[in-house]
């Protein structure tokens, strides 16, 4: 029985996510390989008999709003993850939501690239769907959560995070086609290696604006290619050979973005094959290639992330390392021999502290189920 300190009607556990490979290609119709993880946001929901809603985050504080009135974007950044979802739910099921209390407690560091935001959005979406018996499907809730980020937060994100947080399964990776939303479950079997995240504890301001810029650059590349090849509907499906024809026709940065997207999609499909064959070293080599592409061609890395990846290259017990998520800070994801995990954490922390005078945080993760709801007595 889960502890219920808030006398709630339901308790929602909503996980963060990792992504093994397939970065910045969800919004380009590519394939990604994420999993939900064993670190979560917990949300306690209780219905009220009036129209007032009160949302109280243990870390960020509380705010209130009236469910009958139109919702506005808040000046307090984190509130928009909640407000955006509630707005989407009200529009999907007009007149069906009433007042509620929601208390939020999170184990997910913010800005670490492990999707504390999608965990919050999807936890609110699934929770309200259950509390008010709205009958929305998981795919509808994923879409409402993603659009909350577009419309209220202002990041034009892809579907990967919300999909992984909602549909994740313990011991599985999701090989997700971000266009069709078809997916295949792959065993998350990496023995004798463990998945270790190293959190740089930096989160450069660029993240949201540069994210939207990358998206626009990719649209620009696709648009140019479609003039000659109208059959391509998404950038990720354009083969590298065709992208190369545009080297002198596109601004050089835009060309490099497109090259990365095409290569990253191919790498992700290859990676899924290698993992299924148990070739973890082969997969690790692809992780390094992805980092190189994200850093040089896509330009979403930063000195702190590059430092950690470079450091790992000299250590034979680390077979793969790269930045994970949107970039400009957050975590690297590393595959480290089980018996060497502690030593690696220790040496990476010392080197990082010496270089940047910042404490590194290590997170050893396992895969887990997506959002889970329990009803209380
Ligand atoms: C963020 C976005 C995702 C995805 C990643 C990069 O996490 O929310 O949609 O684009 O960045 O792969």
């Amino acid at each position: 029985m889960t502890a219920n300190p808030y006398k709630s009607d339901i308790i929602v556990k909503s996980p963060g996510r990792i992504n093994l490979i397939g970065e910045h290609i969800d919004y380009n119709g590519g394939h990604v390989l994420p999993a939900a993880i064993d670190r979560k946001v917990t949300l306690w929901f209780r219905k009220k008999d009036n129209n007032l809603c009160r949302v109280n985050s243990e870390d960020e504080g509380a705010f209130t709003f009236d469910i009958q009135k139109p919702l506005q974007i808040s000046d307090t950044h984190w509130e928009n993850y909640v407000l955006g979802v509630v707005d989407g739910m009200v529009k999907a099921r007009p007149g069906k939501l009433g007042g509620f209390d929601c208390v939020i407690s999170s184990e997910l560091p913010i800005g670490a690239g492990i999707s504390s935001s999608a965990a919050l959005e999807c936890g609110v979406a699934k929770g309200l769907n259950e509390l008010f018996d709205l009958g929305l499907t998981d795919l509808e809730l994923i879409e409402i959560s993603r659009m909350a980020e577009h419309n209220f937060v202002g990041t034009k994100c892809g579907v990967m995070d919300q999909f992984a947080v909602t549909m994740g399964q313990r011991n599985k990776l999701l090989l997700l086609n971000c266009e069709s939303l078809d997916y295949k479950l792959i065993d998350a079997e990496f023995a004798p290696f463990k998945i270790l995240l190293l959190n740089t504890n930096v989160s450069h301001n660029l993240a949201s604006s540069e994210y939207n810029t990358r998206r626009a650059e990719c649209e620009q590349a696709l648009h140019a290619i479609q003039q000659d090849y109208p059959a391509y509907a998404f950038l990720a499906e354009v083969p590298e050979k065709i992208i190369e024809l545009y080297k002198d026709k596109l601004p050089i940065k835009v060309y490099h973005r497109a090259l990365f997207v095409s290569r990253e999609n191919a790498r992700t499909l290859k990676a899924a094959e290698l993992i299924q064959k148990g070739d973890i070293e082969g997969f690790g080599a692809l992780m390094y290639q992805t980092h190189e592409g994200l850093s040089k061609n896509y330009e979403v890395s930063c000195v702190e992330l590059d430092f950690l990846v470079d450091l790992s290259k000299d250590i034979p017990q680390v077979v793969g390392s790269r930045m994970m998520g949107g970039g400009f800070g957050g975590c690297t994801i590393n595959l480290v021999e089980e018996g060497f995990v502690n030593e690696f954490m220790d040496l990476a922390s010392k080197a990082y502290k010496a270089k940047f005078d910042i404490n590194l945080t290590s997170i050893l993760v396992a895969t887990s189920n997506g959002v889970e709801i329990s009803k209380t007595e």
Side-chain angles (χ1 to χ4, degrees), residues 17 19 22-27 115 149 157-161 211 325-326:
R17 66 103 189 88
N19 184 26
E23 217 65 271
H24 279 279
I25 54 171
D26 56 350
Y27 53 86
S115 269
E149 201 134 344
C157 66
V159 73
M160 170 171 77
D161 301 350
Y211 187 95

Side-chain angles (χ1 to χ4, degrees), residues 4 8 43 64 67 181 197 276 305 341 351 360 364:
N4 188 12
S8 62
L43 306 98
T64 55
I67 196 79
L181 299 187
L197 307 182
Q276 282 170 294
L305 289 165
V341 166
L360 191 70
L364 196 59

